[in-house]
Amino acid sequence: MSEWAQAVRQRLVSHDIDPTRHSAVIDELAQHLEERYTALLARGVDAIEARRTVSEELEDEALENELRRMERGQPAPSPPIGAPPRTGVISSFAQDLRYVARALRKSPGFSAIAIITVALGVGMNTAIFSVLNAVMLRPLPYHDPDRLVRLFESNPQRGWSEFSVSHANFLDWRAQATGWDMLVATFADSVSLVTNDGAEILRGSRVTGEFLPALGIAPIVGRNFTPDEVAIGGTGRSVIVTEGFWQRRFGRDPAIVGKTVVMNSAPHTIVGVLPRHFEWIDDVDVLLPLVLEPNRSRGDHVLTVFGRLKPTVTLDQARAELTTIAANLARQYPADNDGWSVRFRSFYDWLIPEQTRQSLIVLQGAVALVLLIACVNVASLLLARGAARQKELAIRVALGASRHRILWHGAVESLLLALIGSVAGLVLASATIRLLSSYGADTVPRLNEANIDVTAIGCAVLSGLVSAALFGLIPSWQAARNDAGHVLSDGARGSTAGHGRQRLRRALTIAEVAFSVALLVGAGLLVRSFTHLQQVDAGFDVNTVMTARVTLADRTAFDNNAKRAAFWQRVNAEIGALPGIVSVSSGSGVPLTSVGGTATELRVPGFTPPRGTQPSADWRVITPGYFKTLGIPLRGRDFTDGDDPTVGPFVIVSESLVRRYFPDQEPLGKAITPRTLGNRPHTIIGVAGDVRGRGLDRDPLPTIYFSAVATPAFGTMTVVWRSVGGGTAHVSAIRDALRRIHPQVAMFDVRAINDLLETSFAERRFNVYLLTLFAGVALALAAIGLFGVMAYLVSHRTREIGVRLALGADRGQVFRLIIGRGVGLASVGAALGIGLALWLSRLMETLLFGVSALDPITFAAVPAAMIAIAAAACYVPARRAMRVDPVTALRAE
Amino acid sequence: MTAIIDRILDRELKKGSAELVILSLLDARARHGYEISQIIEHRSEGEVKFKVASLYPLLYRLERRGWIAGTWVEKAGQRRRRYYRLTREGRKVLAEQRKGWQRFVAAINRITETGNV
């Protein structure tokens, strides 16, 4: 190196600038100085003077400043191993990702378990969230659904809070109320469609003209009903069909509008087709005009009414106005309207029952707990692996990797696990949703709309990220805390960091057990409710009876009461005569269906109702043999074919009606006056057992049975029969028998009563299955977690166990020691879990039946089971501990 | 007093004009640092001098701005030298600075010409 280069170099060093970075600059400056020096000498300047002059040329801070600026702008040389590289964030992340992916591939067992665990947690969360989103969060499929309000008549005195609306009252509301854009009445009605193949029953809804506009739905073909078609006194012979019906019946014929079909024995003209997305609370095939009947009794509460509030009117204003109108009507028509008022409910509230919402929230809470347990498990796994990788990490720290860097790697690892787990979880969720939809579509409204959409993916990503944060940070933080020197010198055993990690894992296991216990208690309570429910005496034979609805499609052939009564008598006779039929009857409704049950007020001579109340009862119309067929006990006598309008009138009442209105009296031979069916005194000829007709979880209502032979007979009834062999064996024979009576008789909705019972259980069963499934997964995860901790403990303590054995401890003691540790952890967890469950179970009180939210059996059995499972999970590690060979264990040191 | 004024004038003039001077010198052809310093000293008849420690920082700054580009060149029989040439961007800057400088000098002249008093 030249003298001048040396000078430049020294100058840079003295200004704290790294000369190794500027060799090119040094060369250039040195060359310049040398030429200058040579030039001065050539001019005759003496050597000392020339050297001094040239040296002064270097004195300027500009050089130093410029070099510093250059230094900042230059890329740094490669960093030392383990130190954070100064390259861009993205490439650094990609590098970390590659590193972590390699590490995960190297331990496939660990990776698979962690990913499956995350997938379970995320998948279940996403599935349930998608259901919750579809059922509860997505707006209803109507225009501005928040302004849609369901309206009921209510009679608090009689305990009828939400009752249908009578024709005349609806007409008065619609005429007088000003707060509504539209008030709509509907009425579910099945109609018979007579074709060459015979009669088919269509599910229909009769609606007033504002029905579709109020919901904001327009027909895709044709038009809505015109005012003429729904006018009072009109024939109501137009029909709007659903898209599905259009497809099924008419192959999407574009010229459908104007076609004539025969419904209920009368020609109807198709005027429109509804869009595919049309949905209504009842599944319908057709909409028909609802022709209001102003002269029909105000006591006939039959209409389902809703309205669309004006944008400028608040719910309270509308309610106040309609309450006043109802009060006026009550004064004007005291005979029918006394005590009646109005009640509002939001559309949302009406369409999505509270019980459903409550269940979904409980299920969502349950899967959140499962996710939490899954996270704890993965955290625990990472901790255990952290212990195995302690040395690797310590070496990296010793080589200069910062704590920040170690934490960062942990975070990348967690993110990668969470990402893969979430993707797998989405697949799992999609399968789960399909399963849930196929299983519970009839039980949970809008369940079929659940799918993997952006919200679901968002949920999966979010739960994945939350999981990553939960399970990733704890072990990383633990790893970063490790003192490198300590770990390396210590042989990675028994160090303080190791103890800390063990403590943390124990705490995590306790948490896991606690969450599982809370979930198991929830599931246990639901299971107990369900078993209680199944043991409830329904009051009728739930096993062998079959039911079918039968309707007289040819209304002209049965245009009077006597003809209809005669028909139902013949039904009993013809079907009863079929070989194998044990018993047959018909009723306006049968237990466990919503069809045909309705309430009436009644007067009971000698019974003074408490102030402000009025006796009331459900009522049904039946043919002889009803109680025998359904296996309902009967005291007194049954109706006979001889109980025609010339005798009686007679009624049969239920036990609960007797208990309520004839306490300590013999009711047979006494009279009651039901308001319905003529408001005449009826003599009680029989007392029937109570029937839980609205579901086994609802108390039986006092019920009055009228004879179909004596009262205005219905055009549609439910036929019930009991046969040798049971089941659907006789369905076609019965259908043929009905056709023999009249060719245009339609039979539909053939159901075993057992099936109806199952349907009434369906939503509960759905909840029980799901919550049990989630609790089971939670339990499995907790058991795996416990097993992992204990197995690790045993392998970690092999030496200690060896010493104990060498010092004379017997193997049984060692076995008990390990089991004891595990059971101890589980017990602490179980105790905490009980606390959590005590708090959480209150939230599910509305879902319980026959058990208290603090059911002692559940609260005792669950922790006991948990501890037993904990002991089982510790069995293998304990056996391994017991078999430790002291010589080998100590020699290994 | 004169010495101080000379120094201030020297610094200020250099500051304002140094970039223009260097860019102008590189306009004709590529030159190395020593050559640049020699030309400045020679043409200014010793009035303007750049020390090594202020010339090179200036070159490096112009280079960082992308106005000039330096390359090591080895010619037969000569030592390896770093030559600086004007970039396209530098040529544009030079044109602007020349215009600015001429306007500035003309303005100063108008102010200081005694006949205008």
Side-chain angles (χ1 to χ4, degrees):
Chain A
M1 186 186 297
S2 81
E3 176 192 6
W4 292 109
Q6 190 69 39
V8 175
R9 182 174 294 274
Q10 267 169 12
R11 165 137 177 102
L12 293 188
V13 171
S14 71
H15 284 88
D16 210 18
I17 292 170
D18 182 358
T20 57
R21 304 222 175 144
H22 298 289
S23 52
V25 172
I26 292 167
D27 276 359
E28 195 176 14
L29 296 189
Q31 214 174 77
H32 184 112
L33 295 175
E34 199 174 335
E35 283 185 60
R36 181 105 173 93
Y37 177 64
T38 315
L40 286 172
L41 290 182
R43 265 194 242 161
V45 179
D46 79 81
I48 294 172
E49 181 58 20
R51 191 177 301 275
R52 197 187 55 79
T53 312
V54 172
S55 295
E56 271 178 4
E57 297 244 323
L58 269 177
E59 296 300 323
D60 195 320
E61 58 189 38
L63 176 67
E64 173 193 327
N65 289 340
E66 187 57 32
L67 290 177
R68 279 192 206 289
R69 269 183 229 119
M70 285 169 69
E71 215 165 52
R72 280 199 292 276
Q74 263 183 347
S78 342
I81 304 164
R86 294 192 188 176
T87 43
V89 174
I90 305 277
S91 73
S92 155
F93 183 70
Q95 185 190 334
D96 287 339
L97 213 55
R98 274 196 300 277
Y99 171 84
V100 167
R102 227 178 9 247
L104 288 181
R105 264 204 308 277
K106 265 195 270 174
S107 40
F110 159 83
S111 308
I113 292 176
I115 286 166
I116 290 170
T117 309
V118 175
L120 273 175
V122 169
M124 287 182 176
N125 258 280
T126 308
I128 294 298
F129 180 75
S130 302
V131 171
L132 189 132
N133 181 38
V135 176
M136 289 173 61
L137 303 181
R138 268 189 220 153
L140 297 172
Y142 308 121
H143 170 66
D144 198 4
D146 291 347
R147 302 206 72 77
L148 289 169
V149 181
R150 173 82 162 89
L151 285 81
F152 300 90
E153 290 201 72
S154 75
N155 192 326
Q157 291 179 6
R158 280 161 231 167
W160 299 332
S161 63
E162 293 182 344
F163 227 71
S164 300
V165 181
S166 67
H167 282 242
N169 284 344
F170 172 72
L171 281 166
D172 284 328
W173 290 1
R174 196 169 68 175
Q176 296 174 32
T178 59
W180 306 84
D181 277 340
M182 288 166 239
L183 277 176
V184 184
T186 75
F187 175 70
D189 192 13
S190 52
V191 289
S192 60
L193 174 74
V194 178
T195 62
N196 297 336
D197 317 333
E200 184 191 355
I201 296 301
L202 303 180
R203 297 157 300 178
S205 229
R206 294 198 174 270
V207 301
T208 54
E210 302 84 357
F211 178 78
L212 291 178
L215 298 179
I217 291 169
I220 46 169
V221 177
R223 56 165 174 83
N224 188 16
F225 299 124
T226 60
D228 280 354
E229 286 164 343
V230 289
I232 292 167
T235 54
R237 290 203 180 149
S238 311
V239 55
I240 297 174
V241 300
T242 55
E243 209 246 8
F245 183 71
W246 181 37
Q247 165 107 45
R248 179 162 60 86
R249 266 280 169 186
F250 300 97
R252 305 184 75 87
D253 177 4
I256 182 141
V257 170
K259 275 211 159 73
T260 303
V261 285
V262 177
M263 287 177 171
N264 288 349
S265 313
H268 284 64
T269 309
I270 296 175
V271 300
V273 179
L274 293 169
R276 183 184 291 271
H277 65 80
F278 170 78
E279 265 182 67
W280 187 233
I281 185 143
D282 309 305
D283 276 339
V284 296
D285 300 308
V286 290
L287 296 182
L288 296 148
L290 172 57
V291 177
L292 291 164
E293 304 163 48
N295 297 322
R296 192 163 164 179
S297 164
R298 287 178 191 266
D300 282 351
H301 298 269
V302 290
L303 300 177
T304 298
V305 172
F306 68 91
R308 174 173 286 283
L309 271 181
K310 279 186 181 162
T312 50
V313 175
T314 68
L315 196 64
D316 285 340
Q317 287 168 338
R319 188 184 286 125
E321 184 191 43
L322 215 51
T323 308
T324 312
I325 293 170
N328 291 339
L329 290 173
R331 270 193 298 280
Q332 222 173 328
Y333 308 100
D336 286 311
N337 273 12
D338 188 37
W340 287 90
S341 185
V342 287
R343 193 180 159 88
F344 283 19
R345 231 165 120 185
S346 75
F347 235 50
Y348 175 81
D349 208 32
W350 172 51
L351 293 174
I352 321 289
E354 200 204 336
Q355 174 121 352
T356 303
R357 283 179 274 152
Q358 190 73 29
S359 319
L360 283 176
I361 289 169
V362 166
L363 289 175
Q364 185 70 63
V367 286
L369 275 184
V370 171
L371 181 63
L372 212 53
I373 294 169
C375 291
V376 168
N377 237 5
V378 177
S380 190
L381 271 175
L382 285 170
L383 270 178
R385 208 167 69 108
R389 290 171 59 198
Q390 217 171 6
K391 274 202 173 166
E392 177 204 327
L393 292 177
I395 288 169
R396 286 175 56 202
V397 170
L399 285 176
S402 66
R403 185 160 297 179
H404 168 88
R405 186 79 182 157
I406 301 279
L407 273 174
W408 173 239
H409 256 176
V412 172
E413 182 174 49
S414 312
L415 272 176
L416 193 65
L417 283 175
L419 185 76
I420 301 173
S422 299
V423 170
L426 266 176
V427 175
L428 186 69
S430 162
T432 312
I433 291 170
R434 270 202 301 280
L435 201 69
L436 291 181
S437 301
S438 68
Y439 181 78
D442 299 335
T443 359
V444 181
R446 306 174 83 198
L447 178 61
N448 53 355
E449 293 169 38
N451 57 358
I452 297 287
D453 59 0
V454 179
T455 328
I457 292 171
C459 169
V461 169
L462 192 70
S463 22
L465 286 179
V466 169
S467 316
L470 280 177
F471 65 63
L473 288 182
I474 299 173
S476 296
W477 171 76
Q478 181 72 38
R481 246 182 49 169
N482 282 354
D483 172 358
H486 207 130
V487 170
L488 291 175
S489 64
D490 184 76
R493 169 162 311 180
S495 67
T496 41
H499 281 308
R501 180 178 291 115
Q502 272 302 94
R503 262 203 307 279
L504 198 56
R505 282 197 77 187
R506 282 201 293 271
L508 290 177
T509 307
I510 288 171
E512 201 168 35
V513 170
F515 293 143
S516 308
V517 164
L519 256 184
L520 282 169
V521 166
L525 288 174
L526 279 195
V527 169
R528 295 250 305 143
S529 299
F530 196 58
T531 17
H532 264 264
L533 192 64
Q534 284 176 313
Q535 284 161 2
V536 165
D537 180 11
F540 58 95
D541 177 3
V542 294
N543 293 317
T544 53
V545 179
M546 293 293 296
T547 77
R549 295 185 71 200
V550 171
T551 193
L552 310 173
D554 186 354
R555 296 285 158 100
T556 45
F558 297 100
D559 60 353
N560 71 44
N561 203 39
K563 286 180 187 167
R564 286 196 291 271
F567 172 81
W568 295 116
Q569 276 175 316
R570 272 198 72 191
V571 166
N572 270 10
E574 293 276 338
I575 297 176
L578 291 174
I581 298 291
V582 176
S583 174
V584 61
S585 178
S586 311
S588 57
V590 291
L592 303 175
T593 58
S594 57
V595 203
T598 180
T600 177
E601 297 161 26
L602 70 154
R603 275 174 289 143
V604 183
F607 175 79
T608 321
R611 262 185 82 82
T613 66
Q614 175 81 27
S616 68
D618 266 15
W619 62 275
R620 287 171 198 282
V621 174
I622 58 172
T623 64
Y626 181 83
F627 301 106
K628 183 179 156 218
T629 310
L630 280 169
I632 301 168
L634 178 69
R635 197 157 62 80
R637 73 166 177 91
D638 194 2
F639 295 124
T640 66
D641 286 346
D643 293 329
D644 60 27
T646 61
V647 298
F650 300 126
V651 287
I652 294 170
V653 297
S654 70
E655 291 276 5
S656 54
L657 187 140
V658 172
R659 273 199 305 278
R660 190 175 299 177
Y661 302 123
F662 296 96
D664 308 320
Q665 293 174 53
E666 175 50 63
L668 291 178
K670 292 212 163 67
I672 54 172
T673 307
R675 201 186 152 76
T676 190
L677 299 181
N679 206 2
R680 296 182 295 158
H682 284 65
T683 308
I684 298 171
I685 57 166
V687 176
D690 279 327
V691 170
R692 288 177 188 263
R694 296 176 302 156
L696 298 193
D697 51 354
R698 315 265 298 263
D699 285 335
L701 285 177
T703 307
I704 302 170
Y705 299 93
F706 295 93
S707 166
V709 185
T711 53
F714 287 34
T716 304
M717 296 262 270
T718 304
V719 175
V720 289
W721 71 91
R722 187 202 294 263
S723 65
V724 177
T728 53
H730 297 81
V731 171
S732 55
I734 289 172
R735 201 185 295 272
D736 291 345
L738 290 171
R739 291 235 173 97
R740 279 199 299 277
I741 305 173
H742 192 280
Q744 285 183 19
V745 167
M747 181 165 105
F748 59 107
D749 266 1
V750 180
R751 303 277 299 271
I753 209 141
N754 191 29
D755 192 34
L756 294 173
L757 188 71
E758 291 299 311
T759 308
S760 79
F761 287 158
E763 185 161 351
R764 278 183 186 276
R765 191 190 295 273
F766 184 76
N767 295 338
V768 166
Y769 281 177
L770 282 184
L771 200 59
T772 310
L773 172 73
F774 299 154
V777 171
L779 182 65
L781 289 176
I784 292 169
L786 199 63
F787 170 82
V789 168
M790 296 316 292
Y792 181 75
L793 185 89
V794 169
S795 69
H796 202 67
R797 294 280 174 90
T798 307
R799 178 163 160 267
E800 180 201 320
I801 293 164
V803 171
R804 278 172 192 259
L805 288 172
L807 290 178
D810 77 58
R811 291 181 183 274
Q813 268 175 338
V814 169
F815 182 78
R816 282 192 297 277
L817 174 84
I818 299 299
I819 296 279
R821 281 277 171 82
V823 168
L825 283 181
S827 305
V828 177
L832 291 173
I834 289 294
L836 189 61
L838 282 173
W839 180 60
L840 287 177
S841 64
R842 281 158 209 275
L843 302 178
M844 41 190 293
E845 235 156 8
T846 55
L847 305 181
L848 302 182
F849 175 80
V851 289
S852 131
L854 307 176
D855 178 45
I857 295 180
T858 312
F859 274 82
V862 165
M866 183 75 235
I867 289 168
I869 285 166
C874 299
Y875 177 78
V876 173
R879 292 278 293 183
R880 199 186 301 152
M882 200 169 81
R883 291 194 184 135
V884 164
D885 176 5
V887 180
T888 321
L890 294 174
R891 193 189 292 145
E893 288 301 300
Chain B
M1 203 56 191
T2 337
I4 294 175
I5 290 172
D6 274 355
R7 261 208 318 276
I8 291 174
L9 196 66
D10 182 54
R11 197 176 71 217
E12 291 305 309
L13 280 174
K14 262 193 201 163
K15 219 185 202 169
S17 56
E19 287 178 7
L20 172 61
V21 166
I22 289 174
L23 293 175
S24 312
L25 290 180
L26 295 180
D27 194 16
R29 60 180 181 88
R31 300 178 199 275
H32 55 80
Y34 184 70
E35 187 185 357
I36 294 169
S37 72
Q38 290 301 299
I39 295 175
I40 291 171
E41 193 173 345
H42 179 72
R43 289 198 191 162
S44 70
E45 294 168 3
E47 285 296 321
V48 180
K49 281 184 205 163
F50 276 100
K51 287 201 289 184
V52 167
S54 48
L55 171 68
Y56 285 89
L58 193 53
L59 288 171
Y60 297 151
R61 199 176 326 137
L62 294 176
E63 191 175 19
R64 273 199 298 130
R65 286 182 196 156
W67 295 352
I68 63 174
T71 31
W72 287 97
V73 176
E74 280 184 80
K75 289 186 181 163
Q78 282 185 20
R79 60 201 314 175
R80 173 173 173 263
R81 286 184 192 277
R82 193 149 200 257
Y83 279 83
Y84 293 90
R85 60 174 178 77
L86 210 54
T87 64
R88 187 194 298 266
E89 172 87 13
R91 219 169 286 284
K92 267 191 252 164
V93 172
L94 172 63
E96 278 165 28
Q97 288 201 352
R98 270 189 177 136
K99 250 187 265 167
W101 179 256
Q102 279 153 10
R103 276 208 305 274
F104 175 71
V105 171
I108 296 293
N109 284 344
R110 283 198 299 276
I111 294 166
T112 53
E113 266 169 26
T114 45
N116 283 347
V117 174

